[in-house]
Amino acid sequence: MLKWKRSLSVLAMTAILGTMAACGGGGNKTNNAGAATEAPASTNAAAATEAPSSGGEPVKLRIMWWGSQPRHEATLAALDLYTKNNPNVTFEPEYSGMDGYLDKLSTQAAANNAPDVVQLDPGWMPDWMARQQLADLAPEVDVSKFDAKLLSGGQLDGKQYAVPLGSVAFGMVYDKAAMDKLGIANPANGWTWDDFFALAKESKSKLPQGQYFTLDYGGNYFMYSAYQYAKGKGQVITNDGHFNVDEPTYLDWTRKFEELRKEGLVPPADVNASDKENDPQLDLLAAGKVLFRYSFSNNLGTWDSIKPGAYALVTMPRAEEAGGWLKPSMYMAVTKTSKHAEEAKKFINWFVNDAEAAKITQTFRGLPANKDNAALLEANMSDLDKVGLGLLRATEPDGQVWSAGAGGWTNFIDKDWVLVRDQLSFGKVTPEEAFKQLKEASMSYEK
C-alpha cells in the first residue's frame, strides 16, 4: 500500500548524486521526512562487496521480483555474474509483472515457503516487518553508502530488515510522437490539473476513433492521491492509521472523470480493464489507445523499448501543492524462513553495493540508492536515463514525500479500493455512493 507525507524540498537528491538528501518512502518511506535514523546494519565502508568464497557448499537461492522485460533481463544477467564469481551459488528466479505478485508472495509466506530473497514495495514494509516475516540484514549488508531517510522504511526497532534499491519520482508518461502528429500541444513541467483537464477537452476533436486522452483514473488510488495532495488535503490515509479521503475533493475528482467518460476521452470500462502496464500487447499506451498514463522516472527505458523515440515524461500536475512525489522505488529483503539466510544476505550486499552489479542493473529500479553507484551511473548516463533524472529533479523542489504510514491497510488499498474503482468505471455506482463505500470499508482498518 502507498501513502504519503507533505514534502521537504531537498530530500531526493542524495539518492541521485550521492550528495543530496533522499526522500523516504513510495514504492519509500520515512514516517518523519525530516528525521534521519541511524542505519543499524553494517556501516563499515570497507565491508567487502565481494561475493563469498566459491569453495562453499552448493546453495540454490530462490529470488522473486516483479517488473518489465528489461528489468527481468538485467536482473538475470546480474544473477549470472554472481554465479560466475561464486560457482557454489545458483538461483531459482521467479519473476512476473506487478499484477498478482503480492497475492502469490503472501500465499507462499503464509505456507512458510517464501523465496529466500524478495523484492518488496515500500508500502508493504510495515506489515511484513510487524509480522516478523523478514530477517535482520546486519552485519552482512553494508549500508554505509545509503541515505538514512531511504533506509528508514526498512527499519523496525533498530534493525534493518530491507534495503532500498533506488529512488524515483512519480509523474506521467505521454505519447509525444502521437500528440505531435495529431497537433496536440505537449505539456510542460509544472503544469496544473486545470491544464490537464483542459488539454483533454481540447484533444477531443483531434483524436481518431478508438484513441483516448488517458486511462480512466476516476477510481485509481494513486492518481487520486496525487490530486488530493495537490489540493493541499494531505494523505489519503494518515500515518497513525485513519481514513482521510477529503469528500469534496474526491467527489470533484470522480465527477471530472465521469465527464471524461461521457465525452469518450477515456476508454470504455471493458477496454480500460484490459490494460496491463508495460505489456507490449496489452498496455493501452503501448498499443496507441491512450496518450497519457502515470509513470515513474525510471520507466522511460521500458516504454522506449516498446516504441523507440515515441514517449516523454512530465511532472504530475499540481494545484495549490505539487501532485507528484519522491520515493524509494522498492526494497530487497531476506525472508525469515530462508534456509540459506547468510548466503542470501551476502548476495544482497553484492547486488546493492557492487559497481559491476550496478552497471548491469542500471536504473531499472530507479537511480541506485547506493550513493557511489548512483554517481557512477550518472557519469555515464544514457539520454533516456537523463530524461528520467530530469523528472526527478523537476519533482524535487517541492514534491510530496511518500510515507509508508500505518500498517494494516494493504487490503484496503489493494482490494476494497479496487472494487470501488471498478464499480465507478462500469457506472455501477455514483461518486457519492463510491465515497460512502470507501468510508464504510475503512472502518474495519481504523486504529
Side-chain angles (χ1 to χ4, degrees):
M1 113 191 133
L2 294 177
K3 313 177 192 71
W4 305 272
K5 284 188 67 175
R6 291 195 54 182
S7 67
L8 293 181
S9 64
V10 297
L11 294 183
M13 299 306 289
T14 302
I16 304 172
L17 300 178
T19 59
M20 296 157 279
C23 65
N28 70 3
K29 240 33 322 215
T30 173
N31 286 336
N32 183 342
T37 56
E38 293 298 321
S42 170
T43 55
N44 180 1
T49 61
E50 296 178 2
S53 167
S54 60
E57 292 294 321
V59 170
K60 177 176 285 188
L61 295 177
R62 290 173 59 208
I63 178 172
M64 186 171 176
W65 73 89
W66 77 84
S68 61
Q69 189 61 31
R71 182 186 295 172
H72 298 332
E73 293 171 357
T75 307
L76 292 170
L79 301 185
D80 287 344
L81 176 60
Y82 191 84
T83 296
K84 179 181 178 181
N85 294 337
N86 306 272
N88 64 306
V89 181
T90 57
F91 295 91
E92 183 180 334
E94 302 175 38
Y95 52 93
S96 65
M98 185 62 161
D99 288 348
Y101 178 90
L102 180 59
D103 286 342
K104 179 180 179 181
L105 180 57
S106 297
T107 299
Q108 292 177 337
N112 293 319
N113 188 38
D116 301 283
V117 179
V118 293
Q119 178 178 291
L120 298 169
D121 186 278
W124 307 335
M125 292 305 304
D127 288 345
W128 279 73
M129 292 188 293
R131 292 194 297 259
Q132 300 182 345
Q133 292 176 304
L134 305 176
D136 182 4
L137 297 180
E140 287 83 2
V141 180
D142 173 20
V143 295
S144 62
K145 299 294 184 179
F146 290 69
D147 184 86
K149 298 181 187 69
L150 289 174
L151 290 169
S152 65
Q155 294 171 1
L156 181 67
D157 297 333
K159 294 182 179 181
Q160 192 77 46
Y161 290 101
V163 288
L165 298 178
S167 180
V168 297
F170 186 55
M172 300 197 80
V173 60
Y174 63 96
D175 191 334
K176 185 179 188 307
M179 291 174 66
D180 289 346
K181 184 177 180 181
L182 294 170
I184 300 173
N186 290 180
N189 287 339
W191 65 327
T192 67
W193 281 111
D194 286 344
D195 296 331
F196 175 85
F197 288 111
L199 186 61
K201 294 184 177 181
E202 290 169 12
S203 71
K204 183 175 181 179
S205 63
K206 300 176 181 179
L207 289 170
Q209 184 73 23
Q211 192 171 32
Y212 309 91
F213 182 74
T214 187
L215 289 167
D216 187 343
Y217 285 131
N220 185 276
Y221 176 80
F222 304 107
M223 288 294 278
Y224 173 69
S225 296
Y227 191 70
Q228 178 163 306
Y229 259 128
K231 292 294 185 177
K233 302 300 181 179
Q235 295 175 211
V236 172
I237 298 166
T238 65
N239 281 336
D240 56 355
H242 294 294
F243 179 78
N244 190 47
V245 176
D246 182 70
E247 184 172 6
T249 304
Y250 181 82
L251 295 179
D252 178 49
W253 171 260
T254 50
R255 286 167 182 163
K256 286 181 185 298
F257 272 90
E258 191 173 50
E259 187 175 348
L260 294 185
R261 221 171 283 132
K262 292 175 180 177
E263 295 184 5
L265 288 166
V266 296
D270 57 338
V271 176
N272 198 74
S274 72
D275 174 71
K276 299 294 182 184
E277 187 176 5
N278 293 332
D279 185 304
Q281 281 75 46
L282 299 177
D283 184 297
L284 294 185
L285 181 72
K289 300 291 186 181
V290 299
L291 300 178
F292 281 87
R293 70 177 306 147
Y294 73 65
S295 180
F296 289 99
S297 56
N298 62 311
N299 286 347
L300 188 59
T302 298
W303 301 116
D304 193 73
S305 70
I306 297 173
K307 192 182 296 182
Y311 303 108
L313 299 175
V314 67
T315 52
M316 187 61 65
R318 61 180 302 122
E320 289 82 356
E321 296 185 17
W325 52 81
L326 307 165
K327 65 182 212 59
S329 55
M330 56 205 68
Y331 284 83
M332 184 170 276
V334 175
T335 56
K336 193 68 174 285
T337 55
S338 172
K339 294 181 174 61
H340 308 291
E342 298 308 307
E343 291 289 354
K345 293 175 191 179
K346 291 174 183 177
F347 163 73
I348 288 181
N349 186 60
W350 176 84
F351 191 81
V352 300
N353 288 315
D354 187 80
E356 292 304 312
K359 290 177 184 177
I360 293 173
T361 56
Q362 301 178 61
T363 60
F364 291 119
R365 289 177 171 87
L367 198 72
N370 176 298
K371 299 174 184 180
D372 289 350
N373 288 341
L376 172 69
L377 292 192
E378 190 191 11
N380 300 285
M381 198 169 273
S382 69
D383 289 342
L384 286 174
D385 284 341
K386 288 177 181 176
V387 174
L389 183 59
L391 174 58
L392 201 155
R393 284 178 164 162
T395 304
E396 178 271 335
D398 67 347
Q400 306 292 339
V401 177
W402 183 88
S403 169
W409 284 80
T410 301
N411 282 340
F412 178 76
I413 304 304
D414 292 344
K415 299 187 184 303
D416 296 307
W417 195 289
V418 168
L419 175 62
V420 173
R421 176 202 69 189
D422 292 343
Q423 290 177 317
L424 273 171
S425 181
F426 281 91
K428 301 297 184 181
V429 295
T430 65
E432 292 81 3
E433 291 168 338
F435 177 81
K436 182 179 179 181
Q437 284 191 27
L438 289 175
K439 189 169 184 178
E440 290 176 350
S442 74
M443 293 179 182
S444 63
Y445 301 90
E446 288 279 346
K447 296 291 185 180

